[in-house]
Amino acid sequence: MFDLIRIREESFVAGISHFDEIDSTNSCLLKQLEESSADGPLLVLAERQTAGRGRGSNQWWAANGALTFSLAVEANDLRPDQICKASLSTGLAVCQALERFVPAGDLALKWPNDVYLEGKKIAGILIERPASRSDFIVIGIGININNSMNDAPEDISSKAISLIDCIEIETDLTTVLIESLQQIESRLRSIRLGDSMLLDQWRAYCMLTGRSVTIDVYDKEISGVCTGIDGEGALLVKARDQVHRCIGGVVKSFQ
Ligand code: BTN
């Protein structure tokens, strides 16, 4: 059970909707925004999510003990390049929030915003824009906390990890949520202030730099060596003698 009073007192959210069970916190929040003129930041929080959505056509598996939430923040003052940075920064925020619980852990970022622990995915982020409220972005975050991968289907457990699999004790979901919200608030403030440290910090956690990657960019596949991210947050992939700037896309494989 989440401690809603603590979340209200210790985070920047103005409204909280809490559900025991819901299909998708992102779908719920998008609907809420489209059907009302509510102001943000708004949080939708679920004890259990039954049909979590991932990027593209992916689904997000989350058993009991997972942390699944969506946050709506006003973004009408953000330029398109700052929206791209908001996506990267959310990954950075979650990564740094988790550091509090795995001090000796090996946390890293896979572009654009997947969080990895010990080489396996621990958190995924889906950012969407409500069709009729384009002044907002909805940031959906799923973090594997107390949902051990021992109970997950094999295709998921081979690629994913949960905090409990690493530290072997249960972690309070409210505390992880508050830490994540505080980090996100701080990163969004940095973007608005034009803080150049953000990308430097992101680069420090980038697990793809120097590795061979294959990325799907719209209708094209690019394979090459990742040379990092540029000042706008685009992934740089060197293939033969050409460096490709990938603004969007999905990293299909890396080694
Ligand atoms: C991905 O890695 O492809 C993104 C996964 C995002 C999952 C979260 S869980 C909370 C929120 N609600 C959803 O339906 N999806 C996001």
Side-chain angles (χ1 to χ4, degrees):
M1 276 301 281
F2 288 97
D3 183 340
L4 302 184
I5 296 173
R6 262 193 74 201
I7 299 168
R8 258 185 218 106
E9 284 176 358
E10 296 178 41
S11 82
F12 73 132
V13 298
I16 305 177
S17 304
H18 170 258
F19 298 88
D20 285 336
E21 187 171 289
I22 201 170
D23 53 355
S24 153
T25 55
N26 259 41
S27 302
C28 172
L29 191 45
L30 287 169
K31 194 158 172 271
Q32 257 186 34
L33 286 165
E34 276 162 16
E35 288 175 354
S36 77
S37 55
D39 280 334
L42 301 174
L43 178 71
V44 170
L45 187 57
E47 301 284 340
R48 196 171 137 70
Q49 186 178 247
T50 53
R53 295 185 289 109
R55 280 200 302 276
S57 55
N58 293 344
Q59 294 187 336
W60 182 256
W61 178 86
N64 286 342
L67 177 58
T68 49
F69 65 98
S70 299
L71 174 72
V73 288
E74 261 188 79
N76 54 354
D77 60 330
L78 294 179
R79 300 186 308 266
D81 63 299
Q82 290 178 316
I83 298 272
C84 172
K85 284 182 186 153
S87 162
L88 294 171
S89 302
T90 308
L92 180 64
V94 172
C95 195
Q96 294 187 329
L98 289 174
E99 265 183 348
R100 179 172 155 190
F101 308 93
V102 269
D106 171 10
L107 285 158
L109 287 166
K110 174 177 160 255
W111 184 91
N113 52 25
D114 289 339
V115 183
Y116 274 63
L117 172 64
E118 296 181 347
K120 288 183 165 186
K121 184 161 164 173
I122 183 169
I125 294 163
L126 173 67
I127 300 193
E128 299 181 296
R129 265 200 129 126
S132 60
R133 296 286 305 275
S134 55
D135 47 335
F136 276 88
I137 51 172
V138 167
I139 304 172
I141 302 182
I143 316 179
N144 299 317
I145 303 290
N146 298 320
N147 53 322
S148 171
M149 288 301 139
N150 295 335
D151 307 323
E154 154 54 32
D155 58 324
I156 293 172
S157 62
S158 59
K159 295 178 290 197
I161 192 168
S162 184
L163 189 61
I164 197 165
D165 297 329
C166 178
I167 60 174
E168 293 176 0
I169 46 160
E170 290 220 349
T171 305
D172 177 40
L173 293 185
T174 300
T175 306
V176 182
L177 173 65
I178 291 170
E179 188 69 33
S180 303
L181 292 170
Q182 289 176 347
Q183 291 281 350
I184 292 169
E185 183 193 13
S186 149
R187 301 281 160 264
L188 290 173
R189 198 179 317 116
S190 302
I191 293 173
R192 291 191 163 91
L193 293 172
D195 185 350
S196 61
M197 293 291 287
L198 211 61
L199 288 172
D200 291 340
Q201 284 186 36
W202 201 95
R203 287 184 184 110
Y205 286 94
C206 178
M207 65 189 283
L208 297 179
T209 304
R211 297 171 85 161
S212 297
V213 299
T214 298
I215 176 168
D216 270 343
V217 190
Y218 306 110
D219 55 349
K220 208 165 67 173
E221 186 178 282
I222 300 169
S223 293
V225 174
C226 171
T227 56
I229 60 165
D230 70 8
E232 304 305 316
L235 190 76
L236 302 173
V237 180
K238 190 170 178 194
R240 296 196 188 88
D241 282 337
Q242 198 188 345
V243 176
H244 298 264
R245 278 190 81 238
C246 307
I247 296 165
V250 177
V251 176
K252 278 201 328 193
S253 60
F254 58 92
Q255 41 187 272

